[in-house]
Amino acid sequence: MSLLEVSNLHTHFISHDLNNNLRIAKGLNGVTFEVDKGEVVGIVGETGAGKSLTAMSIMGLLQPPARVVEGSVRFDGNEILGLPAEELNKIRGTELTMIVQSPLTSLDPLSRVGKQLVRAQREHRNISKDEAWAAGVETMTTVGIPDPERRMSAWPHELSGGMAQRVLIALALINGPRMIIADEPTTGLDVTVQAQILDLLQGLVRDRDMGAMIITHDLGVVAHYCTRICVMFAGSIIETGPVRRVFNDPRHPYTQALISSTPKRIAEKGYGQIGGPPPNLYALPAGCHYRDRCSRAAEVCHTSPLLQEIGAAHHARCHFATESSSESATVQHG
Amino acid sequence: MTDIAVTSPADPGFTWSGRILGITRRSPTFAIGFLIVALFAFVAVFANVISPFGAIETFSSKVLLPPGREFWFGSDGNGMDVFSRVMHGARFAFGIAVPSAIIMLVIGVPLGLIAGYKGGMIDEVVLRTMDVIRSFPSIVLALAVVAATGQSLVNVVLVIGFLDAPIFTRLVRSEVLALRSSGFVDSAVAAGNPTWRILFVHLLPNAIRGSTAMIAVRMAWAVRISATLAFIGVGIQAPTPEWGAMIRQGAEFIISGEWWVALFPGLALVGIVLGFNLLGDGLQDLLDPRRKATGK
Amino acid sequence: MVEPILRVHDLVKHFPGSQPGETIHAVNGVSFDLKPGETVGLVGESGSGKSTIGRCVLRLYKPTAGRIEFGGRDITTIKERQMRPLRKEIQIVFQDPYSALNPRMKVGNLIGELVKLHTDLDAAARRETVTALAARVHLNADLLTRFPNELSGGQLQRVCIARALATNPKVIVLDEPTSSLDLSVRAGILELLGELQRETGVSMLFISHDLETVELVSHRILVLYLGSVVEDGPSKAVFANPSHPYSQALLSADLPPDPDVVLDRKILEGEVPGPVNLPPGCPFAPRCPLVRPDCNAAKPGPSVIGEDHHAACVRVADGTNDIRNADANAEGDIHKKFQDQFIGRTS
């Protein structure tokens, strides 16, 4: 049993447009993955692929018109999907936490950092203010904030971007979570600061034997900080496997295109397949959703491909996944 | 939820009934407001045709009759039909609301565009001038100006338009300030657009959105203040079938028990002001869907 | 020797700060030339002044000091009215295509706007030009009647590029043109830019924080830190032999999207300080693992590393500029330095 088990998650945006037509955008179409203790799973994909939506669905943070219509999310073996808010809050923010994008807007601008750390603990546990304060200082130290006692009384606007992100991580860690979901934790931070934050996250997962899920669009982050990768496209995971395996032997044409479009690979092999517009989630094509952009598309792609096993823990949702990738690579770059 | 960027959804079709239902579902407020205003507009346009009597047609033998079969809303002190007069009053309501709204926009919007775009001294001067105009109690200022310049409908409209222009200046200016930081203004400058094109081709269509809801709200205000002016005897005079003037006329009779002379124009006034305000609120919901979740 | 089309000399740009009397030193004496058909990359983190330089070059900002020459003409202080006809020669593509296009104008009119402003073509001829431009940036012609919100990010960026190309400019400033796009779309945009440069010989000023992208597209690069050039040279030379400690740190912090690459990293402490109070000497001194007393004395001038390759570091002279050799000499100070970085804003 894994720490987090997401299976067959379907999230739709259901609304009526100005012409009173019912519109359904299929944001997630059967997302299945697991995150184990001590593991960092990287979720990559383009805008609209459903990366953040997956995180929001797991955390129960969806706002109408978004709604989970099917599927299951098990945390530590217990179903948490559809739990009432009070029940969910016993897990959310304590055992299962999330670090969101844009740290500066995610902190309460009207409370000092220390107060936010104390409040985050006292919401979940019966603990004195002094104890909570001490725990706050300790966590601030853990996340590498210098002079934590003084930082505790800082206002969020006094923090730099990297420091705010550390405070946010401290907030996520304060109740000793077992699983952390980080949505673009370093987007908007400078490269030199990004390295500091990622090192910190990786260290925490290792030391505390937590599970982590990092949502990112940066393949470099996945390559060096994740153990497993899930590639999303149009609300489905189209390829998953150990990072090294997937990078060296990608089987889904989208993964292949993604990896071949990094500057380094372009410099080596020239420009490959050009990405197209994202699929229309209101009218997803039957069969493979990548069909319209795929250089290998064939008649068989009008039927939905199943997740095919390629090797140990390496799966791809493509009819041609079991064929050797060198072949498809020539198709692409030739 | 930012993760979902849906492009060019296949349009599942447009029908008038669908559009009406769709809008009503998204903003019932808008639908109700629109209905009320449309009703008054209909009455205003067809007042001649649908009212049983003329607006100043007098029946000297039938003074101050209570509401009944002949005079639905009763008759006033001159023996005129209150119902017909209320209907004709709608013409004055729109006759004041629409032109004064146009004046507000014509004065207010360009000033807001220039102040927001140019900034600096120009901005300061425009803003302070607007502050001065707004800092007068508008009713007092309107009273003074109308009293000084002569009591005509045109003057009332001009004064109301002028007094409310600063509201649109401020609204448009703040929109422009927000738009300046979004890239397309820079990109318009870099393209070599002259200033007038930046203001009126690029900024105006984007900055006016927030003002559309306000237009309806200020129209309500225009109707109310013109009625107020007429009520205190400035501006439009009896026997013109203007609601404010009619309420003033009817006020004398309330003590003696003839309530209908003042009540019905009063109700009409409440109705149209409510209609405009609902319309304004509803427009805001429709134009800024983030304010409201759409699906229930 | 080819005359540069764009010459930037000792450019300085200050902004008033949020507090009265405070000055933001965004650009502090940057010089470079851009030759016809060349791509110069400006690399740096936030606060490096790279975007400000781009905007000064386009005269969207008025430089505080220095000189900008375009085609031999000094445009540093000319009025917008005089600048306007020049705008057809020097164009820009912004970072965020979603906000860079007027949402109330149709794509065809957006592309046609520049043709309308800078040529005398009639409506029919303009339409033809627009269709041709759309084809050149590989944009489907049926998108021309759509509004920007109906297009994807990649398509919108193609619209922006078509706009920039519409008047056959001599220089295009590309301000992070791919950073807000999805990875698979980025490659297509980069490919298009390369293709257009080969066809038209347009010069490009490519501004980015993404080292790998800059390396891919640029002939020469300038590494910027706090509004100063710390290293400049041919792209290949700078990436093969980064000589300024900051360039080394920046390159070592990069994460190549390949799990088999072994990272040899020297992670810097702290963050880029705000450009309000600049250090008296080398702007990088407070964060530099190799700092020594004379770094704070005066801003170091460029030292020659190789052909056309310079680094503004005092250690270049005696060859002690490799940060991997940074020893314990600074260790004792690290905690204090770290604090200064972060606490600078509160105290």
Side-chain angles (χ1 to χ4, degrees):
Chain A
M1 181 184 71
S2 294
L3 191 56
L4 180 76
E5 293 171 326
V6 176
S7 67
N8 198 28
L9 195 62
H10 289 258
T11 299
H12 293 177
F13 291 82
I14 304 166
S15 65
H16 286 83
D17 67 2
L18 271 187
N19 293 328
N20 203 34
N21 298 306
L22 182 68
R23 308 297 310 277
I24 298 174
K26 296 183 175 168
L28 296 184
N29 302 294
V31 171
T32 304
F33 69 97
E34 293 174 4
V35 182
D36 228 331
K37 272 187 252 172
E39 193 180 37
V40 183
V41 173
I43 309 241
V44 293
E46 60 191 21
T47 311
K51 307 183 297 278
S52 295
L53 194 60
T54 304
M56 305 282 264
S57 304
I58 294 171
M59 296 296 290
L61 294 171
L62 294 178
Q63 296 284 335
R67 198 192 303 164
V68 175
V69 292
E70 197 188 330
S72 135
V73 176
R74 286 171 166 272
F75 181 70
D76 210 13
N78 302 315
E79 181 67 47
I80 59 166
L81 206 62
L83 279 186
E86 318 81 82
E87 290 291 311
L88 196 53
N89 280 341
K90 285 180 193 158
I91 302 163
R92 194 164 60 178
T94 56
E95 309 212 344
L96 174 63
T97 59
M98 185 164 169
I99 305 168
V100 289
Q101 291 181 48
S102 61
L104 284 174
T105 54
S106 304
L107 289 166
D108 173 3
L110 296 178
S111 307
R112 291 175 194 269
V113 168
K115 194 174 167 194
Q116 301 191 38
L117 281 164
V118 169
R119 197 165 55 199
Q121 296 173 73
R122 285 164 58 91
E123 264 162 23
H124 293 287
R125 276 179 289 153
N126 219 340
I127 173 176
S128 81
K129 271 193 183 154
D130 289 344
E131 279 173 294
W133 186 269
V137 174
E138 205 188 306
T139 314
M140 295 270 278
T141 316
T142 317
V143 297
I145 293 176
D147 201 2
E149 286 90 353
R150 227 184 98 193
R151 297 277 93 185
M152 288 288 275
S153 51
W155 294 98
H157 69 262
E158 295 169 341
L159 304 171
S160 60
M163 201 44 62
Q165 190 59 281
R166 282 174 198 266
V167 170
L168 223 60
I169 295 177
L171 271 167
L173 288 177
I174 192 82
N175 291 318
R178 289 192 290 157
M179 162 96 200
I180 199 160
I181 296 177
D183 189 356
E184 306 269 6
T186 57
T187 305
L189 297 181
D190 285 326
V191 216
T192 50
V193 181
Q194 163 174 311
Q196 300 165 4
I197 298 290
L198 290 169
D199 283 348
L200 168 65
L201 264 176
Q202 196 183 38
L204 286 166
V205 169
R206 199 183 296 137
D207 298 345
R208 302 191 172 190
D209 201 25
M210 296 194 300
M213 171 179 149
I214 296 184
I215 294 169
T216 179
H217 60 268
D218 187 341
L219 287 181
V221 172
V222 179
H224 298 282
Y225 288 93
C226 298
T227 43
R228 229 148 36 80
I229 178 174
C230 294
V231 184
M232 288 191 78
F233 185 82
S236 317
I237 291 176
I238 49 100
E239 183 154 4
T240 175
V243 165
R244 188 153 282 156
R245 275 202 69 128
V246 174
F247 271 79
N248 291 331
D249 185 18
R251 291 304 181 96
H252 194 287
Y254 177 68
T255 319
Q256 290 165 359
L258 208 58
I259 287 170
S260 68
S261 49
T262 58
K264 277 258 156 63
R265 306 263 173 155
I266 293 171
E268 286 165 17
K269 298 182 180 169
Y271 287 95
Q273 203 167 324
I274 295 171
N280 184 353
L281 297 177
Y282 284 102
L284 284 175
C288 176
H289 298 152
Y290 187 63
R291 199 176 67 215
D292 294 342
R293 274 164 62 175
C294 186
S295 58
R296 304 203 65 187
E299 205 41 51
V300 65
C301 300
H302 287 268
T303 57
S304 286
L306 296 172
L307 209 57
Q308 310 222 26
E309 184 161 355
I310 294 135
H314 184 186
H315 298 83
R317 196 178 288 276
C318 173
H319 293 292
F320 305 111
T322 45
E323 294 171 22
S324 146
S325 71
S326 56
E327 213 176 293
S328 47
T330 34
V331 171
Q332 248 186 76
H333 301 295
Chain B
M1 232 107 350
T2 49
D3 213 22
I4 284 291
V6 181
T7 47
S8 61
D11 197 340
F14 170 87
T15 55
W16 276 108
S17 59
R19 173 56 67 90
I20 290 166
L21 272 172
I23 287 177
T24 310
R25 180 191 284 267
R26 197 163 296 183
S27 174
T29 316
F30 175 85
I32 296 169
F34 184 84
L35 207 67
I36 296 176
V37 172
L39 187 75
F40 276 100
F42 176 83
V43 169
V45 171
F46 296 105
N48 271 346
V49 188
I50 54 175
S51 68
F53 304 102
I56 46 172
E57 198 179 342
T58 46
F59 301 87
S60 41
S61 57
K62 295 170 177 169
V63 173
L64 288 175
L65 290 183
R69 190 162 298 166
E70 189 179 9
F71 301 120
W72 293 0
F73 289 178
S75 68
D76 67 6
N78 300 324
M80 299 181 191
D81 175 31
V82 176
F83 182 61
S84 301
R85 286 173 62 75
V86 166
M87 289 183 113
H88 278 87
R91 293 187 157 185
F92 285 86
F94 282 99
I96 286 160
V98 176
S100 51
I102 291 171
I103 291 169
M104 292 170 202
L105 293 174
V106 167
I107 301 176
V109 172
L111 282 175
L113 288 175
I114 293 167
Y117 180 66
K118 287 283 178 189
M121 270 307 282
I122 298 177
D123 189 29
E124 277 301 306
V125 170
V126 169
L127 280 186
R128 293 314 136 226
T129 313
M130 295 299 157
D131 281 349
V132 170
I133 297 175
R134 290 303 293 172
S135 60
F136 282 105
S138 33
I139 183 76
V140 176
L141 194 64
L143 223 153
V145 176
V146 173
T149 56
Q151 314 206 342
S152 74
L153 184 67
V154 177
N155 283 338
V156 172
V157 166
L158 283 175
V159 167
I160 291 175
F162 175 73
L163 282 178
D164 255 9
I167 291 179
F168 291 93
T169 303
R170 284 200 168 277
L171 261 176
V172 170
R173 176 182 169 274
S174 65
E175 290 278 337
V176 170
L177 289 183
L179 290 171
R180 282 223 69 167
S181 59
S182 111
F184 75 85
V185 179
D186 278 335
S187 118
V189 176
N193 275 287
T195 307
W196 72 265
R197 255 188 77 95
I198 294 175
L199 290 182
F200 292 100
V201 177
H202 291 283
L203 284 172
L204 180 65
N206 291 289
I208 201 73
R209 244 179 121 91
S211 302
T212 40
M214 191 48 101
I215 294 171
V217 174
R218 296 326 291 178
M219 280 177 149
W221 181 82
V223 172
R224 230 177 60 208
I225 199 143
S226 69
T228 312
L229 287 176
F231 179 75
I232 51 182
V234 184
I236 300 154
Q237 304 285 329
T240 317
E242 201 276 346
W243 294 333
M246 290 166 69
I247 298 169
R248 173 188 167 87
Q249 234 187 342
E252 311 167 19
F253 303 113
I254 288 183
I255 320 158
S256 49
E258 288 91 10
W259 46 267
W260 55 89
V261 186
L263 179 74
F264 290 107
L267 284 179
L269 192 62
V270 169
I272 200 164
V273 168
L274 183 72
F276 275 131
N277 279 327
L278 290 177
L279 191 68
D281 278 358
L283 268 174
Q284 200 134 36
D285 294 340
L286 288 182
L287 292 177
D288 188 4
R290 273 166 306 169
R291 257 176 46 138
K292 253 185 141 172
T294 46
K296 272 179 210 154
Chain C
M1 170 93 199
V2 197
E3 272 301 297
I5 176 76
L6 180 75
R7 189 166 247 167
V8 174
H9 182 75
D10 210 13
L11 181 70
V12 175
K13 178 64 188 170
H14 293 169
F15 294 100
S18 51
Q19 312 290 319
E22 210 176 73
T23 307
I24 293 169
H25 304 262
V27 181
N28 307 294
V30 168
S31 306
F32 65 92
D33 289 348
L34 181 63
K35 297 197 187 76
E38 185 186 42
T39 299
V40 168
L42 300 184
V43 201
E45 297 178 284
S46 57
S48 65
K50 53 190 192 303
S51 288
T52 309
I53 296 172
R55 280 159 185 258
C56 284
V57 164
L58 272 143
R59 282 303 314 279
L60 293 173
Y61 291 155
K62 191 176 170 193
T64 307
R67 201 171 65 248
I68 300 170
E69 277 174 34
F70 178 73
R73 182 172 170 197
D74 187 343
I75 60 164
T76 322
T77 53
I78 62 171
K79 296 222 150 49
E80 176 61 23
R81 193 180 297 276
Q82 297 161 295
M83 186 65 203
R84 221 166 271 151
L86 279 177
R87 295 210 176 277
K88 67 170 182 289
E89 310 271 345
I90 175 161
Q91 275 297 318
I92 183 164
V93 174
F94 291 100
Q95 170 174 6
D96 179 8
Y98 293 94
S99 78
L101 295 169
N102 184 344
R104 307 292 244 179
M105 269 168 94
K106 287 190 176 158
V107 168
N109 294 337
L110 281 164
I111 298 176
E113 182 176 40
L114 282 106
V115 187
K116 190 172 178 176
L117 290 169
H118 297 286
T119 67
D120 299 326
L121 296 181
D122 61 16
R126 277 209 305 269
R127 250 196 309 278
E128 235 167 77
T129 316
V130 169
T131 316
L133 279 166
R136 247 172 102 188
V137 299
H138 311 297
L139 197 68
N140 209 329
D142 63 2
L143 296 177
L144 293 175
T145 53
R146 306 269 187 88
F147 284 99
N149 67 358
E150 298 173 70
L151 272 63
S152 70
Q155 290 169 333
L156 290 175
Q157 200 58 297
R158 285 171 194 274
V159 174
C160 293
I161 294 171
R163 262 169 76 88
L165 280 176
T167 50
N168 291 315
K170 298 204 172 73
V171 172
I172 301 183
V173 175
L174 298 143
D175 190 355
E176 308 246 14
T178 56
S179 333
S180 62
L181 302 178
D182 287 312
L183 192 61
S184 57
V185 179
R186 274 182 206 184
I189 296 290
L190 294 176
E191 186 179 19
L192 171 65
L193 290 173
E195 195 181 297
L196 294 171
Q197 188 172 46
R198 276 195 301 281
E199 283 171 19
T200 62
V202 64
S203 309
M204 294 181 175
L205 192 60
F206 195 98
I207 299 168
S208 180
H209 69 273
D210 182 19
L211 294 164
E212 296 185 28
T213 306
V214 173
E215 183 182 11
L216 180 69
V217 300
S218 312
H219 302 108
R220 277 195 309 129
I221 72 163
L222 274 72
V223 182
L224 293 156
Y225 188 81
L226 277 183
S228 300
V229 178
V230 294
E231 184 158 353
D232 69 278
S235 176
K236 283 202 179 70
V238 175
F239 278 93
N241 179 26
S243 300
H244 193 282
Y246 175 66
S247 316
Q248 296 169 35
L250 195 63
L251 254 67
S252 86
D254 180 50
L255 296 172
D258 183 346
D260 293 333
V261 173
V262 180
L263 299 179
D264 173 21
R265 299 196 310 171
K266 183 77 195 178
I267 300 299
L268 287 179
E269 309 265 347
E271 290 175 57
V272 185
V276 176
N277 299 310
L278 289 184
C282 172
F284 187 57
R287 267 178 102 193
C288 185
L290 293 171
V291 66
R292 64 186 197 197
D294 55 338
C295 293
N296 289 314
K299 193 168 159 178
S303 306
V304 177
I305 309 289
E307 199 193 337
D308 219 14
H309 182 185
H310 314 89
C313 177
V314 291
R315 281 185 181 268
V316 169
D318 56 11
T320 56
N321 56 329
D322 191 333
I323 56 170
R324 274 166 303 183
N325 300 334
D327 43 34
N329 64 357
E331 207 70 7
D333 272 351
I334 267 182
H335 189 66
K336 189 179 169 305
K337 259 192 336 202
F338 201 48
Q339 253 180 34
D340 289 346
Q341 290 306 319
F342 289 124
I343 296 161
R345 292 176 69 176
T346 30
S347 47

